[in-house]
Amino acid sequence: MFSGFFRLRREVAWWQGLLFALGCLLTVLGVWWLATHGEPEQRLLSPTVLPSPHETFATFPELWFDRALTRNTLASLRRVALGFGLATAVGVPLGILCGCFPFLRAFFAPVSIFGRNIPVAALIPLTFSLFGIGELQKIMFIFIACVAFILSDSARAIAEVHDRYIDTAYTLGAARRQVILKVLVPLAFPSIFNSLRLLFGLAFGYIMLAELVKFGGESGGLGDIIITSQRRGPKEHILLVLIIIPIVALAIDRGLFWIQRELFPHRYGGSGILNRAVHVLLVGWERFKFLLVKPTPVAAIRQPTPSQEKAS
Amino acid sequence: MTQGTPTPTPQPVDPDAGPIGVSRVIDHPPIPAKLAGPPVVEFRNVTKTYNAGRPNAHTAIRDVSFVVQDIKDVGEFVCVLGPSGCGKSTVLRLIAGLEPQHPATTGEVQVLGRPVTGAGADRGMVFQDYTSFDHRTVLDNVTFGLECRGVSRKDRHDLGRQWIQRVGLNVDVDQYKYPHELSGGMRQRVAIARTLILRPRIILMDEPFGALDPHTRMNMQDLLVTLWREVEATVFFVTHSIEEAVYLGDRVYIMSNSPGTLLREMEVEPANRPSRQMQREPRFQETVAYIRDLISELEESRAAE
Ligand SMILES: Nc1ncnc2c1ncn2[C@@H]1O[C@H](COP(=O)(O)OP(=O)(O)OP(=O)(O)O)[C@@H](O)[C@H]1O
Ligand SMILES: [Mg+2]
């Protein structure tokens, strides 16, 4: 009956996949329950090591209301969003330029090698002395941790666009700026976006690190809940936050993936709603562009005159 | 080119060479001084060495010289044949001004009397690989060149639709499709449309039908002949198919191997009847056989080395 599942690389239906995943969750929950059930003295693991599932979930209302779970989650997200947004704003354009011009890539190579190979935790002390112990330090920590990855991924995405597209654009009369803006960037953008999505997950992991290391005070954020619960209890909250983090991360990832599919239907097979929205914006921009640039009359192309040929 | 038009400029003919089927061998190069305007394309002792000065230096073509005259308002269809690796693509890309083939190591490449300095829309190119821009619809692919020139959206889309029609695609159905929704033949139609819409004086085609099945290929050949008459350009067409070269070409260049040189230049009757019909004629087949023998001789002499 189950022999079908052992055919090599056999795909499973979505509901079967869901069932298997649920099976995994139930197994973990079962082991957890087995290890922690019964009276506190008779348990395999004492309550100080691991509280039981029931005890853990019973403290959820307290976490939600008294410790302001939503506000703290949003505080963490805000830091990641700001730090990551800044890293994107700097890293993507620079990466695109590096991909277009290898001499720039060579110039930034030390930065990107350093940034990608340094263990980010080692940067925390430095960020404290540079940016203080406030909000800025956490945002800049995320920025520093991500920007090198974003830069080199963007540069690689541009470099991976096949030369034949550049050749084609040039033989169709595109100028260098047009090749970059109309060919290289749009063709590389799906993979740039994809790597941004994956890196965002990484950044979300780093913010915990930044929030766990702190000098006194309530700085807020999910990491802060963990460290405070570790010191003052209840320990159940640590477990709850550990469950909540991947759920939030998954939700964000799925959201970004939806955007990605809708932006690039030709690459990821979405229905293209966002792609059309961007298209409408571009058309709108072209409507008003004539105020700045005079359009070429089409007749100039249909009957080429010798003087025009020489110009090209 | 209309049927029966005499060759505009008389060419010095090798006295020994009689007609071979639908073709005859001609001397090259004709003397440029006797021509009216500057030639469309002129190669003067062009040599291209890749990685010059390095241990992996490789001379792809050596001392290639030829002249293609400007036949006013008609243009000429030049097919380039030769064994694989003899430098056909190199010649084409030198004309196009594309790196790394451009610039030539020695010698001079001139287009319309001026040295080639880089790529431009006056020399359109159709590649063997599918090079439609994946993020653009068929219509936006076809009008890419016009967009780069700053033609307004409405004008370029009107013209773009005409050309989509002209290359035999269905405007209503196909214009908003993305390249990944098209077959290989349809993609090459798009590539032809977006090149011809710019009315280039020179069209460079590097095995454009190489990846198509024989049936689609013949249809595309007939389409190309029709369109080419409309746009009045000089076409350089690289192919591995001798039939294709003899059918399409007014002139066939045969290149030899390593390093590539121009071995023979032939004049062929223009393609004034459908591909299927012309290819059945015995005279046509005689020419094909002649060229096939020539090329296999070349391949053998290379293998003997
Ligand atoms: N960018 C390059 N760098 C180094 N060598 C090259 C390069 N491009 C081509 N060559 C070499 O130059 C020679 C001629 O290449 P080319 O592509 O012009 O041949 P071709 O006649 O078009 O061959 P084919 O019919 O297989 O397309 C080949 O031996 C090839 O290995
Ligand atoms: Mg080639």
Side-chain angles (χ1 to χ4, degrees), chain B residues 159-233:
Chain B
L159 197 57
R161 290 197 183 92
Q162 284 176 28
W163 273 97
I164 291 175
Q165 179 91 54
R166 221 170 274 177
V167 294
L169 293 172
N170 186 330
V171 179
D172 299 325
V173 181
D174 295 327
Q175 61 174 329
Y176 296 121
K177 282 190 179 163
Y178 282 100
H180 71 264
E181 298 167 294
L182 303 178
S183 70
M186 290 161 92
R187 284 179 190 226
Q188 288 310 66
R189 285 174 202 264
V190 172
I192 290 172
R194 80 175 162 193
T195 302
L196 296 192
I197 198 174
L198 298 172
R199 293 290 186 110
R201 284 292 292 278
I202 299 174
I203 303 168
L204 307 163
M205 307 184 100
D206 197 347
E207 298 178 45
F209 307 148
L212 304 179
D213 67 274
H215 177 76
T216 315
R217 196 170 176 144
M218 286 209 187
N219 290 341
M220 296 293 281
Q221 289 169 5
D222 289 334
L223 171 76
L224 184 61
V225 170
T226 321
L227 292 177
W228 167 64
R229 291 219 180 87
E230 279 179 37
V231 297
E232 299 157 1

Side-chain angles (χ1 to χ4, degrees), chain A:
Chain A
M1 171 190 177
F2 289 110
S3 64
F5 288 115
F6 290 97
R7 279 227 313 278
L8 282 178
R9 309 178 78 163
R10 177 182 182 267
E11 291 291 332
V12 293
W14 68 269
W15 59 270
Q16 287 173 327
L18 206 64
L19 278 183
F20 280 110
L22 271 179
C24 173
L25 285 181
L26 286 177
T27 312
V28 172
L29 212 59
V31 172
W32 183 7
W33 178 81
L34 271 180
T36 56
H37 81 109
E39 290 306 307
E41 299 79 40
Q42 294 146 5
R43 295 186 186 181
L44 257 60
L45 293 175
S46 86
T48 49
V49 179
L50 188 70
S52 75
H54 180 258
E55 287 160 358
T56 305
F57 290 110
T59 62
F60 186 77
E62 189 194 336
L63 178 66
W64 182 269
F65 295 109
D66 302 349
R67 304 193 69 182
L69 178 67
T70 346
R71 190 164 52 76
N72 279 309
T73 310
L74 288 180
S76 291
L77 279 178
R78 181 175 161 275
R79 289 169 187 155
V80 191
L82 284 177
F84 193 78
L86 192 61
T88 304
V90 173
V92 171
L94 265 187
I96 288 172
L97 286 177
C98 287
C100 294
F101 305 106
F103 81 92
L104 278 180
R105 193 175 199 173
F107 181 84
F108 283 106
V111 180
S112 101
I113 290 171
F114 177 83
R116 283 182 304 151
N117 292 296
I118 198 85
V120 278
L123 289 174
I124 292 183
L126 192 67
T127 55
F128 277 128
S129 48
L130 280 175
F131 306 109
I133 59 169
E135 219 36 35
L136 182 66
Q137 178 264 336
K138 297 189 170 48
I139 294 170
M140 290 311 287
F141 173 74
I142 296 293
F143 170 78
I144 295 172
C146 297
V147 72
F149 288 96
I150 296 180
L151 188 141
S152 68
D153 278 8
S154 309
R156 184 152 37 81
I158 294 280
E160 274 172 1
V161 175
H162 203 286
D163 276 343
R164 60 174 182 250
Y165 294 109
I166 304 179
D167 291 345
T168 305
Y170 274 135
T171 57
L172 291 172
R176 188 179 47 202
R177 189 177 48 86
Q178 290 170 322
V179 175
I180 296 176
L181 292 179
K182 288 182 196 290
V183 177
L184 285 176
V185 171
L187 283 177
F189 216 74
S191 47
I192 292 180
F193 195 94
N194 194 42
S195 87
L196 284 179
R197 181 172 64 86
L198 300 177
L199 286 172
F200 190 86
L202 197 71
F204 198 61
Y206 288 155
I207 192 62
M208 295 302 140
L209 198 61
E211 288 171 350
L212 287 179
V213 184
K214 58 168 189 168
F215 294 125
E218 284 266 330
S219 61
L222 290 173
D224 194 45
I225 296 185
I226 292 184
I227 200 82
T228 317
S229 307
Q230 173 70 30
R231 288 188 191 137
R232 299 203 294 264
K235 291 257 178 0
E236 287 81 356
H237 285 176
I238 300 181
L239 290 175
L240 282 178
V241 172
L242 287 186
I243 295 171
I244 288 163
I245 288 172
I247 294 177
V248 173
L250 178 73
I252 292 171
D253 185 75
R254 290 296 93 183
L256 289 176
F257 190 60
W258 181 82
I259 294 177
Q260 181 174 333
R261 283 171 49 112
E262 296 303 319
L263 267 181
F264 313 114
H266 52 279
R267 183 82 173 259
Y268 299 107
S271 70
I273 296 173
L274 294 177
N275 181 288
R276 280 197 290 279
V278 171
H279 197 76
V280 168
L281 286 180
L282 287 179
V283 172
W285 149 245
E286 244 200 293
R287 282 263 155 77
F288 295 102
K289 208 167 87 174
F290 75 92
L291 296 172
L292 301 174
V293 205
K294 199 168 167 293
T296 314
V298 73
I301 281 123
R302 298 178 79 175
Q303 289 112 36
T305 58
S307 63
Q308 220 201 329
E309 286 303 314
K310 282 181 191 125
S312 51

Side-chain angles (χ1 to χ4, degrees), chain B residues 48-60:
Chain B
K48 177 69 196 182
T49 305
Y50 290 106
N51 310 314
R54 275 187 269 159
N56 59 344
H58 176 82
T59 301

Side-chain angles (χ1 to χ4, degrees), chain B residues 23 70 90-91 99 113 122 127 148 154 205 208 211 242 246 264 301:
Chain B
S23 69
D70 190 9
T90 304
V91 168
E99 287 169 13
D122 57 331
F127 299 81
C148 287
K154 188 179 169 307
M205 307 184 100
I242 299 169
V246 177
R264 203 145 302 181
S301 69

